[in-house]
Amino acid sequence: MKKTISLMIMACMLLLAACDNYLDIQPTGSVIPNSLAEYRALLARSYKDVSKFSDRGMACFRSDEMQVRDDEYDQNYYMDIERWNDLAPNAYTSSFEWAKYYNVLFIANHVIESKSDIKEGTEEEINQLVGEAYMLRAYVHFLLVNLYGQPYTKEGALDTKSVPLKLDTDLEKVLKRNTVKEVYVSIQEDIDEARKLVTEAEWEQRYSYRFNTASVEAFQSRVSLYKGEWQAAWNAAEAVLAVKSVLVDLNDDAATLPNNYNSVENITPLETPLSSTVNGAALATPVFLSLYAENDLRLDKYFAEADEKGFRKNKKAGSNNYLCTFRVGEIYLTAAEAAAQLGQLPQARTRLLELMRKRYAPEAYEAKSIAVNAMDKEALVQEILDERARELAFEEVRWFDIARWKRADVFKKTLHGVNVTIKSGSVAEGNLQLNFEQPKVESVSRFWQKNFSPKWYMSAFPSDEINKGYGLLQNPGW
């Protein structure tokens, strides 16, 4: 009979007082993992959970990248997210995840703590599995701290409270918020442990979602970039490019998109960039699309034809054809940004232009090459940041980028107005139908456009989590 591995934490939640320790019981039809194969299946479940996280995608509604389309369903679910109405949203507003992150952390911790107890596997196989668990733990903490904490490089941010670290399987421990610095220290420690244990250079395609040696350095490059540790970011990026540097050439009509799960660029095809529902609701804004120059091949490769208002749907997210956590294009941009910030402009230009050659038509590339080679440091850094926006569009990166760059000006996206009228039915009868209409509005902005507060660099904790009363305090200002 096929065995199903179940999280004992779920049994504890159901049995409460009857369970003093999550290993005390073995539910009917389930087994406590013992073998390498069983622990591997347990970790695969966490990989699947991570692949479905959609919070960063929803957060991008708050950036200049995209906005909610004029549709009753989509407006109901995402309009208040776009407007930062976190504390009193309408009843249908999609919720940001919380518990699922900590479920993943629990499984990762269990695998890490059980290293010496895992049976029926070689030392190398067990080390690889545990190394992946360290990577998962670090990655989930990284997502959380960037959603709910101040940007690492913001003055005074390191000592501000962010999210609770979860580094063990103790179910009775009351979690308290750790500082931004403490969370990043833990992330780095876990990456260092993963680097010692992960030895698989490349998985066969059906297991390619798992972390490999290049994943470790790719993640290191991203973490160092977000911390403003430019030399470390450069070193890690170059370590990745030493083993995987091939870029998709969009001049080839038959080329797959760079974030396709089977792309030559893909390092870790794990996460779906934008869930199908978020992707269906999202339109690329005309302001964002204006970042693409004529003969930038990505404009038509990444986006459908513009509608009558200048908006476009994206073509690189919303399905399992597009699975990507780390890819080579991002690594080139990390190397370019780090080198530019270090004042190593020739190296920065080289890495940037290597990417651009594969993204622009030949005549457009030649013009870009001349312009880039003439740029001073300030102009080059800005060009790299714009290129990140163009290259990584709709891959759930934009929100984190504009927060780490502390770009209050980019947050000031002009929003469309919405007229809401009754179409039919009533609340009393339970059959109310509404019309959502976008009138022509010259300038309707977020209500805080003229009174920016640093609180906008981080999200509010989900209200239902605050209301559970276990001690999680809301972010300042919310």
Side-chain angles (χ1 to χ4, degrees):
M1 179 182 292
K2 183 179 178 181
K3 295 179 178 178
T4 302
I5 298 173
S6 297
L7 270 178
M8 299 302 106
I9 186 174
M10 301 308 295
C12 285
M13 291 170 65
L14 293 172
L15 298 177
L16 296 175
C19 181
D20 294 324
N21 185 300
Y22 83 102
L23 291 178
D24 285 345
I25 59 174
Q26 184 170 327
T28 302
S30 302
V31 296
I32 298 172
N34 290 299
S35 69
L36 174 68
E38 290 166 348
Y39 275 100
R40 171 58 75 183
L42 188 63
L43 202 65
R45 185 160 138 178
S46 281
Y47 272 119
K48 183 176 181 180
D49 284 343
V50 171
S51 76
K52 302 300 182 183
F53 287 159
S54 60
D55 290 358
R56 282 178 301 158
M58 291 195 297
C60 286
F61 280 126
R62 296 166 168 173
S63 74
D64 62 338
E65 182 180 47
M66 65 193 201
Q67 72 177 49
V68 184
R69 67 175 179 161
D70 181 15
D71 174 86
E72 178 179 352
Y73 176 92
D74 296 329
Q75 289 290 329
N76 262 333
Y77 279 82
Y78 302 113
M79 178 174 62
D80 279 337
I81 291 175
E82 185 177 41
R83 284 159 172 71
W84 284 90
N85 184 18
D86 287 23
L87 299 187
N90 79 67
Y92 297 102
T93 300
S94 292
S95 300
F96 281 77
E97 303 282 2
W98 183 261
K100 285 185 179 180
Y101 289 97
Y102 285 90
N103 284 342
V104 172
L105 291 173
F106 180 88
I107 293 177
N109 288 329
H110 179 48
V111 173
I112 291 168
E113 292 175 359
S114 303
K115 180 183 178 184
S116 60
D117 299 324
I118 301 175
K119 301 177 177 19
E120 301 176 23
T122 67
E123 180 180 7
E124 183 177 12
E125 290 171 332
I126 294 170
N127 283 345
Q128 171 69 35
L129 179 71
V130 175
E132 292 172 50
Y134 275 111
M135 279 286 287
L136 272 174
R137 188 168 77 177
Y139 190 67
V140 169
H141 280 136
F142 177 79
L143 296 180
L144 285 168
V145 75
N146 280 283
L147 280 168
Y148 298 106
Q150 290 282 3
Y152 187 93
T153 54
K154 180 178 177 292
E155 185 177 357
L158 296 186
D159 295 324
T160 61
K161 295 293 185 181
S162 60
V163 296
L165 283 167
K166 183 58 180 172
L167 303 174
D168 56 44
T169 55
D170 185 348
L171 299 179
E172 297 181 358
K173 182 183 294 183
V174 176
L175 297 181
K176 297 182 179 180
R177 294 175 64 182
N178 293 84
T179 65
V180 170
K181 181 179 181 179
E182 289 168 340
V183 175
Y184 269 95
V185 166
S186 177
I187 291 168
Q188 187 59 60
E189 289 174 348
D190 281 353
I191 293 174
D192 291 341
E193 287 300 315
R195 187 177 287 112
K196 299 173 188 175
L197 299 170
V198 173
T199 56
E200 193 71 38
E202 186 174 6
W203 293 98
E204 59 180 289
Q205 188 177 77
R206 62 176 174 162
Y207 299 133
S208 59
Y209 63 87
R210 299 173 181 173
F211 294 121
N212 56 43
T213 52
S215 307
V216 177
E217 299 310 323
F219 186 32
Q220 178 70 76
S221 72
R222 188 184 293 176
V223 170
S224 297
L225 190 77
Y226 278 45
K227 294 170 69 177
E229 295 179 350
W230 309 119
Q231 189 63 56
W234 166 265
N235 292 344
E238 289 299 304
V240 176
L241 295 177
V243 297
K244 192 173 180 68
S245 60
V246 176
L247 289 161
V248 171
D249 189 349
L250 294 184
N251 286 283
D252 180 356
D253 291 338
T256 60
L257 292 184
N259 68 323
N260 185 283
Y261 77 96
N262 201 30
S263 163
V264 295
E265 287 192 27
N266 221 323
I267 297 169
T268 312
L270 172 58
E271 295 168 283
T272 304
L274 305 187
S275 68
S276 58
T277 53
V278 172
N279 186 59
L283 294 173
T285 67
V287 170
F288 184 79
L289 293 169
S290 69
L291 290 171
Y292 294 89
E294 185 177 1
N295 288 322
D296 184 329
L297 300 170
R298 290 168 296 197
L299 183 60
D300 291 331
K301 295 278 189 179
Y302 286 6
F303 302 98
E305 289 293 323
D307 62 20
E308 66 278 6
K309 298 178 182 178
F311 294 93
R312 290 187 182 222
K313 295 289 294 180
N314 96 87
K315 300 190 292 187
K316 57 184 298 205
S319 81
N320 286 337
N321 288 326
Y322 306 103
L323 298 169
C324 188
T325 293
F326 306 115
R327 68 177 177 89
V328 172
E330 177 193 356
I331 305 304
Y332 274 91
L333 289 165
T334 296
E337 184 177 345
Q341 295 286 7
L342 289 167
Q344 299 170 354
L345 302 191
Q347 292 94 322
R349 294 188 185 105
T350 295
R351 287 309 192 200
L352 178 61
L353 289 171
E354 285 171 330
L355 176 66
M356 286 180 161
R357 183 184 293 275
K358 305 296 185 180
R359 302 300 191 249
Y360 291 84
E363 62 275 18
Y365 169 75
E366 292 303 323
K368 272 289 186 184
S369 179
I370 293 170
V372 167
N373 281 308
M375 290 177 180
D376 60 14
K377 178 179 177 178
E378 183 179 358
L380 183 58
V381 169
Q382 184 59 54
E383 181 66 22
I384 293 166
L385 303 190
D386 288 344
E387 189 66 14
R388 277 185 67 89
R390 294 185 284 259
E391 175 64 17
L392 303 176
F394 284 74
E395 294 184 42
E396 302 187 333
V397 173
R398 185 62 172 168
W399 165 250
F400 280 7
D401 269 353
I402 61 178
R404 75 179 175 89
W405 297 329
K406 301 176 288 295
R407 290 290 300 274
D409 59 307
V410 179
F411 283 127
K412 298 174 183 177
K413 178 181 70 175
T414 297
L415 300 180
H416 53 77
V418 177
N419 286 335
V420 183
T421 57
I422 295 176
K423 181 179 181 181
S424 62
S426 68
V427 175
E429 296 174 359
N431 61 351
L432 179 65
Q433 297 290 317
L434 300 176
N435 283 321
F436 291 83
E437 178 188 2
Q438 286 186 11
K440 183 177 181 181
V441 178
E442 298 300 328
S443 180
V444 176
S445 305
R446 291 187 176 89
F447 63 87
W448 46 265
Q449 177 166 345
K450 295 180 180 179
N451 189 27
F452 182 81
S453 167
K455 80 174 188 179
W456 305 111
Y457 286 131
M458 54 188 178
S459 300
F461 290 114
S463 297
D464 58 348
E465 204 64 32
I466 296 292
N467 294 337
K468 289 178 181 177
Y470 61 82
L472 184 66
L473 300 178
Q474 188 56 272
N475 269 325
W478 285 103

